[in-house]
Amino acid sequence: MVSSLAALRGPAVTLVDDPFAQASRACLQYHEDALVLIEDGTIRAFGPYAELRDMVPDGITPEHFPGHLLAPGFIDTHVHYPQLQMIGAFGAQLLEWLDTYTFPAEMSFADAAHAERVAKLFLRELLRAGTTTAMVYCTVHPHSVDAFFAESERFNTRMIAGKVLMDRNAPAPLLDTAQRGHDESLALIERWHGRGRQLYCVTPRFAPTSTDAQLEAAGALLKSRDGLFLQTHLCENPGEVEWVRELFPARSSYLDVYAHAGLVRPRSMFGHAVHMHEHDFCTCHQTGAGLAHCPTSNLFLGSGLFKLFEATDPRRPVKVGLGTDVGAGTSLSQLQTLNEAYKVAALAGHKLDAVQGFYLATLGSARALGLDDRLGRLAPGHEADICVLDPHATPLMAFRAGYCASIEELLFMLMTLGDDRAVRATYVAGQRVYDRDRAGDPFHLPDAA
Ligand code: GUN
Ligand code: ZN
């Protein structure tokens, strides 16, 4: 087989360690002029161009992005693709928002053609935002999962997704049963888990919409194959927390409902976790479960403020990733999500610096998902999912960039002023799939592997 080679050149930045555990400056690697050498979709070499230039084979000209910033593709640890059509819906907190906007939107996915249309749009909007991996809720309909993975397979993106499980407290057209949800999930696992870059995630929506029997079935599914993921919601809203207390009186906490069913473990990702007690953080630490920090959503629905610096306390650190949680979240851009994460931390008296911010959006999310052996860094052996950031994307950003005296200041400017306009290009497994400045269609399906 002939191997495919590609090279990117330009200023580059990557996280190498956890800035919540040690000094930020030790965790960031920055090269003013870097080379990323890519072979068959994997990074073979990364470092200063001057040191690595001789590794570029004859006939390969690096794609050069002077004045830009090469960075690992963003990772979104919590997002609902079927909710694109009701992002930014007015005036309700979580439980009313679900009944008024979310469930009706998800019912429209009974139509497989609708699911395919939305999956196509969603994948493109992720890539436009520089996001190359996401952990995604589909709907209760198995074909919503097929539509999503099929589109992801076309772009060769590494995605994690699953069919929502709900067997109570939702409109009848959105309900499965414990047995049917199990069997449909198992069939999807067999079809998609580990096919190319696609990974399956067992997806009970949240405790109020699943019976004990369904949560047990989710636990059994997790044991059915190696490397499966779990996603659900946890301690998002005070009314929701109270409801869970009423529905599961025998359990000691909301998290204990999931733990009892065997759902709290590595590769489990709990969205929100706003109203957590210390013992819940301890359980996450001990089990290796991850939390998805979803600041735009928590602000938009008035859910509360996630205690990021308590969760990541180095005495018992919990793995935290960053989630947009669209459609309760208001942007698919991880830059905009970091903008709000900074303000949420500030309200609790903390300073989320740019290195910590970019860690959450890249390597931190990869670690929370247990995929940091292959995602989240520019480093040899890692999959070549890369976004090219443009600090001069708007006249204001270009002006402000002129006053940034360090890479940290530039990154902070990007995370406060940046959004999808600041993503110049996105590479998936070494191939450019999005080019902001390309005339006509900015998206390009990769050549078949
Ligand atoms: N809790 C249960 N379902 C959902 C959902 O779709 N979005 C959010 N933000 N919270 C939930
Ligand atoms: Zn959610």
Side-chain angles (χ1 to χ4, degrees), residues 3 7 13 24 32 37 43-44 97 111 142 154 166 178 182 189 195 239 283 300 313 351 367 373-374 392-394 399:
S3 67
V13 69
S24 289
E32 271 183 357
L37 190 64
I43 298 175
R44 282 288 161 246
W97 175 85
D111 174 6
R154 273 180 212 114
M166 288 200 280
H182 173 275
I189 288 167
R195 171 163 148 183
T283 303
F300 185 72
D313 186 333
K351 296 175 190 170
R367 285 187 175 171
D373 59 334
R374 64 192 82 169
H392 306 97
T394 70
F399 179 70

Side-chain angles (χ1 to χ4, degrees), residues 78-80 83 137 233 236 271-272 294 297 325-326 328:
H78 184 125
V79 62
H80 303 252
Q83 295 178 12
Y137 289 72
H233 296 83
E236 178 176 0
H272 304 280
C294 306
S297 167
D325 192 32
V326 162

Side-chain angles (χ1 to χ4, degrees), residues 343-359:
K343 296 169 193 169
V344 169
L347 281 167
H350 293 285
K351 296 175 190 170
L352 178 70
D353 70 39
V355 177
Q356 292 170 323
F358 274 78
Y359 175 78

